[in-house]
Amino acid sequence: MLRALRRRWDRYKYRFVPWLALNLRRERRTLRYVPKNSQDKIIPDGDVFLTLLKVFEALFINDLSKQAQVLALCPEIRRKYLEPPSPERTQPGIDARSGRSQRVRSPEEVLFDTLGFSITRDRSSLLSAGTGVFVSKGFVPKGTVVSMYPGTMYRKHEPIFFQSLGNPFIFRCIDGVLIDGNDKGLSRAVYRSCSRRDGLGALRACDSSWLTAAPRNPLALGHYVNNCAQEKAANVCYQEFDVPASFPVELKQYLPNIAYSHDIESHLRCVVLVTLRDIKQGEELFSNYFTVVN
């Protein structure tokens, strides 16, 4: 019983304000300090947008044989990807003009071919930390989007009480927006429900495969990145990103986020993880769970 209570406390203490206040000074190395909200950007939003666009377009082309309904529904999308094939889209193994792929690559292979690295889930190098995220192949330069934090986006006034009980995967943005990255229980059911609600025929509003063992978006592993420790300094950092209205509609199927309310007119909030230094193959990703804004 005592062990069960200790495990429960270990999961909950990070949301207990007095515990945080007592530990801020003691664990300064595991904290991230931001002078003010406007400076909470590691790289420009334009760079984040271009990276996601590049990866998602490569995934779409790789999945072209499964996009028949989308291509039939939207002639402009068909022309964009098939008529004629542009040099940057004639990737190895892809026949862009016919829409047939000679060899369908895995999402991890697409990520490696596009950005020069791939990531995977595995047992963390930290004792008792459970699952972690590693660079499984390639090299990640400093200032690169290396992962995304998936989940349902909640505004300040929206109900999240029951989803938050015993849930260590809730990410709080600086402006109070919450992203629930739990892939189990009630959180999982809510995300699936919202994703079905916002779909428009063959055009899906988001990606639900991050809830499974085989995500279609190979970047959607950010909820398993562990907090840094005294012996393991942070090598990635969270960065908030609002998806612009210009984001291609056919690529939204790879976004691992969905808004809880369907009538929100503001942009969808995403959170990406950006590297703070060069990261080599085999290294585990570590972030700062706690950001202190002056």
Side-chain angles (χ1 to χ4, degrees), residues 20-141:
L20 288 173
L22 289 171
N23 282 273
L24 284 179
R25 188 177 299 275
R26 190 174 64 185
E27 299 186 15
R28 294 183 67 86
R29 185 179 176 186
T30 64
L31 300 174
R32 176 170 176 255
Y33 292 88
V34 176
K36 52 187 178 181
N37 291 12
S38 60
Q39 296 181 11
D40 187 31
K41 297 288 182 183
I42 306 301
I43 60 175
D45 282 345
D47 291 352
V48 176
F49 176 80
L50 290 176
T51 298
L52 297 184
L53 202 64
K54 187 176 182 180
V55 174
F56 291 0
E57 281 191 344
L59 290 170
F60 187 88
I61 293 171
N62 190 60
D63 291 339
L64 213 52
S65 61
K66 304 175 184 177
Q67 305 289 346
Q69 287 183 305
V70 175
L71 298 174
L73 182 66
C74 304
E76 66 277 11
I77 296 177
R78 181 179 181 83
R79 287 193 296 270
K80 178 180 176 180
Y81 289 94
L82 299 180
E83 303 170 1
S86 58
E88 62 271 17
R89 290 200 170 91
T90 53
Q91 302 178 22
I94 299 294
D95 183 352
R97 184 182 295 276
S98 67
R100 295 188 298 271
S101 95
Q102 298 170 2
R103 185 183 74 83
V104 177
R105 298 168 294 166
S106 68
E108 292 75 19
E109 288 178 309
V110 173
L111 179 60
F112 178 77
D113 292 343
T114 305
L115 297 183
F117 68 87
S118 58
I119 58 175
T120 188
R121 287 178 287 191
D122 206 342
R123 188 174 225 6
S124 176
S125 58
L126 288 177
L127 293 177
S128 305
T131 303
V133 179
F134 294 79
V135 176
S136 56
K137 188 178 179 181
F139 171 81
V140 191

Side-chain angles (χ1 to χ4, degrees), residues 23 29 38 101 155 192 195 281 294:
N23 282 273
R29 185 179 176 186
S38 60
S101 95
R155 300 290 176 182
R192 284 196 177 278
S195 66
Q281 180 173 320
N294 186 18

